[in-house]
Each structure stands twice: as C-alpha cells, then as structure tokens.
Amino acid sequence: MSFRIPCPQCGARSVYEFRFGGEVLTRPQADADADAWYRYSFARNNTMGIQTEWWYHRLGCRQWLQVVRDTKENRVTATNFREKKEREDCE
C-alpha cells in the first residue's frame, strides 16, 4: 500500500522516495549488558498502531526524518528533522 510522507523540507512526497530506517529506539548505555544490546539491535516492537520511525529522504533533501505513523492505516500524523537542520539544496 502506497502513502505520502510530508517532508518538512520538500513537502508531501511518495513513500517510494524514502528509505525505511526502522523504529526509533533508545540506545543502551555503553556499559549495558549483552541482553540490552541484543534487544536494541535485533528485537522490534512492530506496533500495530502509532509508532515513531526513521525514514531517509533518498530522492529529495537526503535527510533523516522521524515520522509518526499509524501502521494499521499507513497514515502519517507528524514528521520532523531530528536535528532541526534544514537544507536548501532539496531537489
């Protein structure tokens, strides 16, 4: 199912311009145990409903976005640049 992602720099674009980067997760501390690192690296919630995800705008401004998306309906409710940095060289 196709949907559109509203890029903060380029406007609403087809999902095919983006690359999915996974769920936004909290990175464990450097001294965390092996189980915490395993969960961070391999285990995913795969929530049916609202979740925050990483998306890379590969055919536009080439920025990583955080996208809040309803995975049940494939509906995007919010997007933002993580570092609040915008580029002027958007194609």
Side-chain angles (χ1 to χ4, degrees):
M1 173 184 280
S2 181
F3 59 96
R4 295 175 68 81
I5 296 177
C7 175
Q9 180 70 34
C10 305
R13 301 293 181 98
S14 169
V15 70
Y16 298 113
E17 289 191 13
F18 297 82
R19 177 192 172 275
F20 180 69
E23 301 170 12
V24 174
L25 303 171
T26 302
R27 184 180 175 95
Q29 295 295 321
D31 60 348
D33 64 5
D35 187 56
W37 281 104
Y38 172 82
R39 286 191 316 274
Y40 174 75
S41 299
F42 301 108
R44 299 293 176 257
N45 294 327
N46 199 19
T47 304
M48 183 181 206
I50 304 295
Q51 82 175 6
T52 304
E53 306 166 330
W54 286 108
W55 287 83
Y56 178 67
H57 197 179
R58 62 189 179 90
L59 297 179
C61 59
R62 298 183 183 96
Q63 296 290 304
W64 280 98
L65 314 172
Q66 284 191 353
V67 175
V68 179
R69 182 171 69 99
D70 182 342
T71 60
K72 183 176 180 182
E73 299 179 13
N74 256 350
R75 186 172 39 91
V76 175
T77 59
T79 60
N80 64 67
F81 290 124
R82 177 68 173 124
E83 297 176 7
K84 303 289 185 193
K85 182 175 91 175
E86 295 186 6
R87 294 179 53 164
E88 296 179 8
D89 63 349
C90 185
E91 299 175 83

